[in-house]
Amino acid sequence: MSKVLEVKNLSVAFELRGKTLKVVRNVDFDLNKHEVHAIVGESGSGKSVFTKAIAGMLDANGKITQGEVALGQKSLIDLRKKEWVEIRGKKLAFVFQDPMTSLNPLKKIGHQLVEVIKLHQKVPHSEAKGIALKLLKDVGIQEPEVRFNQYPFEFSGGMRQRVVIANAIACQPEVLICDEPTTALDVTIQAQILRLLKDLKDRYNMSMIFITHDLGVVANIADRVSVMYAGEFVESGTVEDVFYRAQSPYTLALLKSLPQLGKKGEELFSLKGTPPSLTEEIVGDPFAPRNELALEIDYVESPPFYEISKTHKVKTWAVDPRAPQREPFDFLNLIEDNKALDHEVKTDHHHPNKIVSFQDLSVHFKKGKRIIKAVNNVSFDIFEGETFALVGESGSGKTTIGRTIIGENHINSGDIIFKGKSLKKGLDKHLKKEIQMIFQDPMASLNERAKIEYIISEGLRAHYSKKELEDKMVLLNSILDEVKLPRTVISRFPHEFSGGQRQRIGIARALVMEPKFVIADEPISALDVSIRAGVINLLNRLKEEYKTTYMFIAHDLSIVKFIADRVGILYKGRLVELGYAHHIFNSPQHPYTKSLLNAIPHPDPQVEKVKKIIKYEGEFTGSEVFKEISDGHYVLM
Amino acid sequence: MENQKMFKYANRKVEEYHLNTENVYSYWQETFKKFFRSKMATVLFVGVISLLLFTIFYTLFSKTDPYAKSKMIRDWNQPPSAAHWFGTDQLGRDIFARTWYGVKTSLLLSLTVGCIDMFFGVLAGLFWGYVRKADRFMTELYNIISNIPRTIILILLSYLLSPGFSTIVLGLCMTGWISVARFIRNKVFTIRDAEYNIASRSLGTKTRTIMFKNILPFLVSIIILETAITVPYTIGSEVFLGYIGLGLPQSTISLGTMVQAGISSFQAYPSQLMYPTLILSFITVSFYLLGNKLSDVSEPKNYE
C-alpha cells in the first residue's frame, strides 16, 4: 500500500489569553491509497486542529511548532500562499461540518461550482458548466439543470452537503478531508451521505480522512481508525482491530459508553472527570486521572507505542508484559446480549393517571403567505411516572411541541391538557412551577453574564418570597450534590465550565423547582459521547428520587431504546407510530419507523458495512387514521 | 529501567469534577487586558485622558482670562508668541485660553447629549425589541420622528427659546434618542429567542428582570460603540450649527464658535482656524477609534 499522506512528529500550539495551549502533541499519522482513515475523538482532543494544520488552515493564533507533513513527495510545511493554491482544491479538499455556512449564500450553486472548476482546471466556461452538471448528478442531486441556477437557501441541509461535497471533489483531489460532515444532518440523510461518500471515493479514486465522534459512523465508513485523546493518538489500527480487539483504556471507555451495550434498568457506563488542561505540561499518560485501572507508572512516564500486530498499535502501559492482566472485553458478545429488549415490560397503561394529554394539537407558522403546519393533529397521552420519548427528525415538529407546552408557541387548534387544566391560553404562574424544561445546547441555555447561583435559583426567585428563598437554599445545595457539582460552583460564571458540566447546571436549574413534568429537549445531543451516559444516568436517578414524569425529545434512537417506556414517532408534523418501547423497536410497523431504525449507524463494522439502506419519502394523503394494532401500539395508516 | 513496582494499580480516586483553571477569568478584566494590548488604543487613551485632565486643570487654575479684549489694535490678530501661545484673535483675546475653554464647553455639551440620548434610547430600544406588542407602535413613531429634519427642530427651538446651551441639548436629544433605540432594538431581536431567554421565561421570571439581567448585559458593546460615536457626532453638529448661525451665541466660548470665528478670518489669518480644528480633529478621531476598539474587545466572540 503506498502512502498518500505522511505526518511525522507534528505538534501544534495556540496562544490564548497570554497562555500557550499545546493542542497537538508529537503525532505520527499516515494515509494509504484508496483507504478511509477515520479519526475518532471528543471535543478538545485536537482532531480538527490536526487536519487544519495539515492543510495550512490554522487560525491566526495557531502555529505548527515541529514536525513534517508530506503529501506524496511534497512537504506541506511553511508553504507560501501561491503554493497552497496549487494544493488546496486540487490535491487536498475539505468538507466541513455545517452545510449552512459552507456555501456562499449570495451566489448560485452552479456559479460556485463553475468558479472552482475554472480556477483549477483552466477550461472555458461552457466546458466547466458541463463538468459541474455531471458533478451534481454524481452527488445525487435530481434535475441538475434546474438546481444549477438556484441559491443555497433553496436547498435542504442534506442537499447542501451534497453540493459542498461536489465542490470539494470538483477537481478530483487525491485526499478528501471530511470534518464531521454528517453530524449536523438527520440520521436518515446521514446514511445516504455516507453511502455517497463511499461511492465517490471508489469512482474518483480518492483517499479520505474522516473525523467523527460517532462510533457507528466509524463502523460504517472506515477502513482504519485512529483514536485521539488530549492531542495524541492513543490507538491506531484497522476498524476490526479497534472495535473487536481494543486495548487502550480510552478506546475501551468509548466503547463501553455506547448505549447499545447498555442494559435497560441498569446504569450506563460513564467516564468521570474531564480531559486534561492543555496549558500545563502533561506528565505520564494523559488519560490516567480518569482511568480507574491506572498503574503507578501512568502518572510518571508517558507510555510508548506497543505493536499488537502489523496493523494495530497502542500507546498505553496496560499492554506491557509487566502490567497486570485485565478482564477481557468481549465487544461482540456484549453487543449481542443487549440487542433484544426485555420482553417482561409492564403494559399497564389502563391504570395510571394521565398527566398530559395532547388532543388534536395543531400549531401553524406563517411564512409570508404560506402556512407551515409544524404540528398537524397530534394526539397522545403521557402517564404519570413514565418516560415518554418523542422521536423525529428535523421538520417533524417535536421541538415545536416541546416549546408549545411551555407557552412559547401559540396553539392553533386542539388543546394540551395538563392535570385537567387547558394550556390553550398559555401557562399561568402556578403551572410554570410544575412544568420545567431542560434545553439542548448547554452553550446557549445559560446566561453568560450571570453567576451560577443566580442561574440555578432564577426560578425560585420568581415564585417565592425572600424569606422562603432562604429555606430553599437547602434544597439547592442538595441538588448540586445530586448533579455531582461541588457547592463552590455557585460563585462562578458559565464560561468556566465544560459542556457536560453546563448541562448539569441546566438540569439543576430545572429540578430545583421540584416540577411534576420535565421536558428534556435533546439534552445530550450536544454533548460528547463519553459524557452523555453520565447525564442519562443522572436523569434516570433523579426521576426515581423526585418521582417526575419525563418527556424526552430526541432523534437518537439508540439512547431512546435505553431510557424510554413509551415512544411516539413523528414525521412531518404527524404522529405515525405510538407504543411501548419494546414494541416499537422489536416490531416496528410504519415504513418511516422502519427506515429510521435502519438508518441508525450500528457500531459493529461487520454488520454496518453490509447494511442496506431503507429509504422512505412518504406524503400524507390526509385520509390516514390512527389504528390500534395491538396492546397500546398505534400506527397511522 | 522501570521497576516492577511501577506496574501495580495506582488506585487513586477519580475526580468527578475538575475545575479547568485556564477557563477562570473575569469578563471585564480580560476586556481591558485585550484593550491595552493594542498600542494604538493605549496611546490614544493616554492622549485623550491627558487632554481631558489638561482642560480641567487649565480652566480651573489658569489666570488667563479668555474674555479679556484689548483696545489696542496692535494686540489684535497676533501670531503665536511667548505671551500668547496660539496668538490672539481679532479682538485681542488669547486663542490658547479660548481653545481650552471651548473644549470644555463642547465636551460638556456632547457628553450631556450623549448620556441623555443613550439613557432614553437604550430603555426605549430594550422595550421596543423585547415586548412583541410594542413593535408596531414604536416603528410608526420611529418613522415619524426620524423623518423630521433636525435643522427645522433647532430653528424652531431657537426661535421659541433663546439660543443657548440647553436649547441645543434639547434640540439634539429630541431626535437623537430614537436612532439609538432602533439600533438597540435590532440587536435585541437577535437574542430575544436565544435558549437562555426561553429558559428564563419558562422559569417564570418577570419581563422586566429578563430585560435587565439577560438582555442588557449583551448590549454593552453596542452601547459603548454608540456612546463613543455620539460624542464626535455632537461636536460636529454643534460646529455645523454654528456655521449656519444656529449654534451657541458668540458670547459663549465653544469649539463651534471658535471655528465660526476662525472661518471668518480665514483669508487673512489662517492659523486662527487651525488650532481649534486640530484639537477638534484629535477629539473626534480618538473617541471614534477608542470607542470602536473598546466595543470590539467587549464583544464576546467565543467563550473558550
Side-chain angles (χ1 to χ4, degrees):
Chain A
M1 278 256 123
S2 51
K3 291 206 185 150
V4 163
L5 183 73
E6 200 164 346
V7 178
K8 281 205 184 354
N9 269 331
L10 189 70
S11 291
V12 180
F14 276 80
E15 293 290 322
L16 184 66
R17 283 191 288 275
K19 300 202 189 127
T20 307
L21 267 81
K22 301 206 185 79
V23 183
V24 178
R25 302 178 302 123
N26 243 319
V27 299
D28 295 336
F29 182 83
D30 54 42
L31 182 67
N32 296 321
K33 221 165 180 283
H34 290 157
E35 79 169 350
V36 178
H37 192 154
I39 301 180
V40 181
E42 298 180 302
S43 35
S45 56
K47 54 194 198 299
S48 295
V49 170
F50 174 67
T51 50
K52 282 199 188 151
I54 296 177
M57 284 166 62
L58 287 173
D59 288 342
N61 58 343
K63 212 167 53 142
I64 297 180
T65 51
Q66 67 174 43
E68 292 153 28
V69 181
L71 181 65
Q73 296 295 358
K74 187 159 171 66
S75 162
L76 295 183
I77 303 284
D78 282 333
L79 288 184
R80 287 192 301 277
K81 258 200 174 159
K82 227 174 75 167
E83 296 171 285
W84 275 119
V85 172
E86 288 300 305
I87 308 266
R88 286 194 215 127
K90 259 212 198 135
K91 301 240 178 68
L92 195 75
F94 248 100
V95 174
F96 289 104
Q97 175 174 352
D98 190 358
M100 301 301 164
T101 53
S102 306
L103 292 171
N104 186 338
L106 298 176
K107 291 207 183 128
K108 294 187 187 164
I109 299 286
H111 186 107
Q112 296 184 47
L113 263 180
V114 164
E115 211 175 30
V116 171
I117 296 171
K118 272 168 47 177
L119 176 66
H120 288 290
Q121 293 188 21
K122 308 220 179 348
V123 292
H125 185 91
S126 48
E127 203 181 316
K129 184 165 178 190
I131 300 176
L133 285 171
K134 179 175 173 298
L135 269 173
L136 286 176
K137 230 175 81 185
D138 279 348
V139 299
I141 293 192
Q142 314 282 14
E143 300 179 309
E145 299 83 17
V146 177
R147 294 293 192 176
F148 188 86
N149 286 318
Q150 289 186 334
Y151 288 92
F153 63 78
E154 302 179 65
F155 284 54
S156 71
M159 294 189 73
R160 276 189 229 195
Q161 199 63 313
R162 290 175 193 265
V163 174
V164 169
I165 293 172
N167 258 310
I169 61 170
C171 302
Q172 311 192 335
E174 290 169 24
V175 178
L176 186 65
I177 303 180
C178 300
D179 190 347
E180 308 226 37
T182 56
T183 308
L185 302 174
D186 283 330
V187 91
T188 48
I189 307 289
Q190 170 174 270
Q192 294 169 24
I193 299 285
L194 289 176
R195 187 176 60 178
L196 171 69
L197 283 170
K198 279 189 283 195
D199 199 34
L200 290 171
K201 181 199 82 166
D202 291 330
R203 248 198 289 170
Y204 283 76
N205 262 325
M206 300 186 291
S207 318
M208 243 200 280
I209 301 178
F210 199 97
I211 301 178
T212 180
H213 63 270
D214 186 337
L215 286 171
V217 170
V218 173
N220 179 306
I221 198 168
D223 298 314
R224 272 204 298 159
V225 184
S226 290
V227 182
M228 201 161 184
Y229 184 76
E232 41 180 44
F233 287 118
V234 296
E235 187 153 9
S236 188
T238 66
V239 68
E240 288 90 9
D241 284 335
V242 174
F243 273 89
Y244 304 141
R245 300 178 279 271
Q247 296 297 323
S248 163
Y250 179 62
T251 317
L252 288 168
L254 282 181
L255 289 170
K256 283 192 211 160
S257 321
L258 285 170
Q260 283 86 350
L261 264 63
K263 237 199 171 111
K264 195 160 180 165
E266 290 173 14
E267 283 209 353
L268 272 177
F269 172 86
S270 76
L271 249 189
K272 296 198 183 66
T274 50
S277 159
L278 297 171
T279 48
E280 291 153 18
E281 268 313 308
I282 299 178
V283 179
D285 188 337
F287 189 61
R290 303 170 81 183
N291 184 3
E292 304 213 333
L293 298 175
L295 305 168
E296 283 293 345
I297 194 166
D298 280 325
Y299 290 93
V300 172
E301 202 178 317
S302 176
F305 270 101
Y306 289 90
E307 288 214 359
I308 311 279
S309 75
K310 238 174 51 173
T311 52
H312 188 183
K313 59 179 185 177
V314 184
K315 191 175 202 274
T316 178
W317 289 115
V319 297
D320 188 292
R322 290 166 288 183
Q325 282 282 12
R326 292 177 293 182
E327 255 184 53
F329 177 69
D330 196 346
F331 180 76
L332 278 172
N333 273 330
L334 281 169
I335 205 168
E336 274 305 313
D337 270 352
N338 301 330
K339 223 169 155 193
L341 270 181
D342 212 339
H343 284 268
E344 306 139 33
V345 157
K346 334 177 222 108
T347 53
D348 55 352
H349 64 285
H350 305 288
H351 308 298
N353 309 318
K354 286 189 217 164
I355 187 168
V356 186
S357 183
F358 296 84
Q359 297 171 350
D360 284 326
L361 180 70
S362 286
V363 179
H364 299 166
F365 290 113
K366 272 212 206 105
K367 257 205 168 161
K369 292 217 181 87
R370 277 196 308 167
I371 296 183
I372 298 183
K373 294 192 181 164
V375 180
N376 195 347
N377 266 322
V378 170
S379 305
F380 63 97
D381 306 313
I382 301 183
F383 299 109
E384 215 170 314
E386 74 171 349
T387 300
F388 184 90
L390 199 57
V391 177
E393 299 182 299
S394 43
S396 57
K398 59 190 198 301
T399 312
T400 311
I401 291 182
R403 300 263 164 106
T404 310
I405 303 177
I406 58 171
E408 285 288 309
N409 294 323
H410 176 69
I411 299 178
N412 286 87
S413 71
D415 206 352
I416 306 178
I417 312 282
F418 179 77
K419 279 167 81 167
K421 297 192 204 112
S422 158
L423 298 185
K424 191 147 187 175
K425 299 265 162 62
L427 276 76
D428 63 30
K429 203 148 186 193
H430 184 71
L431 281 176
K432 282 199 179 181
K433 233 198 299 176
E434 311 217 324
I435 303 176
Q436 278 302 312
M437 190 151 169
I438 299 170
F439 293 86
Q440 176 176 357
D441 187 357
M443 299 320 231
S445 55
L446 303 179
N447 183 349
E448 297 286 342
R449 303 289 173 84
K451 285 201 180 153
I452 302 297
E453 201 228 325
Y454 178 79
I455 292 176
I456 298 188
S457 60
E458 189 174 350
L460 297 172
R461 283 164 201 256
H463 286 101
Y464 299 104
S465 70
K466 266 214 157 94
K467 192 194 156 299
E468 288 167 325
L469 263 181
E470 279 161 25
D471 303 328
K472 292 288 174 182
M473 281 301 136
V474 176
L475 175 64
L476 199 147
N477 278 324
S478 75
I479 294 261
L480 279 175
D481 293 336
E482 288 283 359
V483 302
K484 302 236 176 69
L485 286 172
R487 309 226 176 142
T488 53
V489 300
I490 54 171
S491 54
R492 299 196 177 277
F493 287 89
H495 64 250
E496 303 176 34
F497 297 94
S498 69
Q501 292 162 347
R502 287 166 80 129
Q503 198 64 313
R504 288 166 187 268
I505 294 171
I507 292 173
R509 170 176 64 184
L511 282 148
V512 82
M513 301 293 288
E514 297 175 290
K516 297 280 180 313
F517 183 61
V518 176
I519 305 167
D521 187 355
E522 308 218 43
I524 54 167
S525 56
L527 300 177
D528 280 327
V529 170
S530 61
I531 309 290
R532 288 181 190 178
V535 175
I536 292 288
N537 289 337
L538 171 65
L539 287 171
N540 271 335
R541 204 177 44 234
L542 289 169
K543 185 183 127 183
E544 289 300 313
E545 251 194 67
Y546 292 90
K547 304 261 181 293
T548 41
T549 310
Y550 278 171
M551 181 169 104
F552 240 85
I553 299 177
H555 66 270
D556 183 358
L557 277 167
S558 47
I559 280 287
V560 168
K561 187 167 162 182
F562 181 73
I563 43 145
D565 300 317
R566 286 166 69 235
V567 182
I569 312 271
L570 281 174
Y571 178 67
K572 287 196 182 154
R574 306 209 63 178
L575 193 63
V576 299
E577 195 158 350
L578 171 72
Y580 285 91
H582 75 270
H583 284 153
I584 303 271
F585 284 95
N586 294 342
S587 55
Q589 295 301 314
H590 196 275
Y592 175 66
T593 316
K594 290 189 199 161
S595 79
L596 196 60
L597 285 170
N598 168 272
I600 309 171
H602 190 71
D604 182 348
Q606 281 174 348
V607 171
E608 184 66 13
K609 284 205 195 296
V610 296
K611 188 174 76 173
K612 285 226 177 330
I613 300 184
I614 301 175
K615 219 169 148 184
Y616 176 77
E617 255 155 44
E619 287 297 327
F620 295 116
T621 60
S623 60
E624 292 97 348
V625 189
F626 218 43
K627 277 207 203 126
E628 181 166 11
I629 56 165
S630 75
D631 198 17
H633 190 173
Y634 299 79
V635 183
L636 190 73
M637 44 174 80
Chain B
M1 267 278 81
E2 300 94 16
N3 214 327
Q4 182 62 39
K5 206 167 43 153
M6 299 294 266
F7 284 88
K8 295 275 184 352
Y9 287 120
N11 284 321
R12 297 192 198 184
K13 186 168 177 294
V14 175
E15 262 178 61
E16 178 75 58
Y17 164 79
H18 171 74
L19 183 65
N20 231 343
T21 47
E22 68 206 24
N23 279 335
V24 178
Y25 60 88
S26 137
Y27 169 72
W28 284 112
Q29 253 186 21
E30 279 305 314
T31 305
F32 285 116
K33 260 203 237 164
K34 262 192 260 179
F35 181 77
F36 288 111
R37 242 176 249 160
S38 152
K39 279 199 209 111
M40 176 205 77
T42 319
V43 165
L44 282 178
F45 182 73
V46 169
V48 168
I49 296 288
S50 322
L51 188 136
L52 282 174
L53 287 172
F54 185 79
T55 311
I56 296 173
F57 285 121
Y58 186 83
T59 52
L60 274 177
F61 297 121
S62 145
K63 300 209 181 56
T64 323
D65 183 3
Y67 295 100
K69 295 185 267 234
S70 172
K71 295 239 174 67
M72 315 233 269
I73 297 184
R74 68 181 170 98
D75 287 330
W76 295 353
N77 295 315
Q78 287 292 318
S81 63
H84 303 282
W85 290 6
F86 282 179
T88 60
D89 69 357
Q90 77 264 45
L91 290 177
R93 297 176 289 198
D94 180 28
I95 295 186
F96 187 74
R98 287 178 68 79
T99 308
W100 295 111
Y101 276 82
V103 169
K104 178 178 121 181
T105 313
S106 294
L107 276 178
L108 215 58
L109 181 75
S110 55
L111 285 171
T112 312
V113 173
C115 287
I116 297 180
D117 259 352
M118 290 310 295
F119 182 75
F120 288 106
V122 169
L123 281 180
L126 255 184
F127 181 74
W128 184 1
Y130 191 77
V131 179
R132 285 231 159 98
K133 300 200 182 91
D135 193 35
R136 250 183 114 188
F137 170 73
M138 290 297 291
T139 313
E140 295 307 322
L141 187 66
Y142 172 80
N143 286 334
I144 296 174
I145 295 184
S146 61
N147 277 313
I148 304 176
R150 280 181 159 191
T151 330
I152 308 261
I153 300 254
L154 284 156
I155 296 177
L156 271 173
L157 283 173
S158 298
Y159 182 70
L160 292 169
L161 320 156
S162 43
F165 193 88
S166 17
T167 317
I168 297 208
V169 169
L170 190 63
L172 287 174
C173 285
M174 269 182 83
T175 49
W177 68 277
I178 199 115
S179 322
V180 175
R182 176 66 185 254
F183 226 43
I184 301 279
R185 168 249 196 198
N186 287 344
K187 183 89 188 200
V188 172
F189 262 26
T190 63
I191 48 177
R192 205 193 165 276
D193 289 320
E195 273 192 13
Y196 75 100
N197 287 320
I198 301 183
S200 291
R201 289 197 280 268
S202 76
L203 288 164
T205 314
K206 287 199 277 268
T207 307
R208 196 180 39 173
T209 317
I210 297 182
M211 286 203 287
F212 287 103
K213 272 228 104 154
N214 289 28
I215 314 269
L216 189 59
F218 279 83
L219 303 175
V220 162
S221 76
I222 202 176
I223 291 177
I224 294 174
L225 188 63
E226 278 294 301
T227 318
I229 292 182
T230 309
V231 168
Y233 180 73
T234 312
I235 298 186
S237 299
E238 190 245 317
V239 172
F240 170 72
L241 290 170
Y243 184 64
I244 60 171
L246 285 173
L248 294 166
Q250 275 289 353
S251 51
T252 326
I253 312 174
S254 76
L255 283 175
T257 54
M258 298 277 309
V259 166
Q260 216 181 334
I263 289 177
S264 40
S265 49
F266 186 64
Q267 287 270 330
Y269 305 100
S271 64
Q272 290 184 5
L273 178 60
M274 186 181 79
Y275 298 114
T277 310
L278 274 175
I279 308 281
L280 174 66
S281 310
F282 176 74
I283 295 177
T284 310
V285 170
S286 312
F287 268 83
Y288 186 73
L289 287 175
L290 286 174
N292 261 296
K293 186 76 193 169
L294 190 58
S295 161
D296 277 346
V297 299
S298 59
E299 182 75 52
K301 288 184 200 80
N302 258 329
Y303 278 103
E304 284 116 342

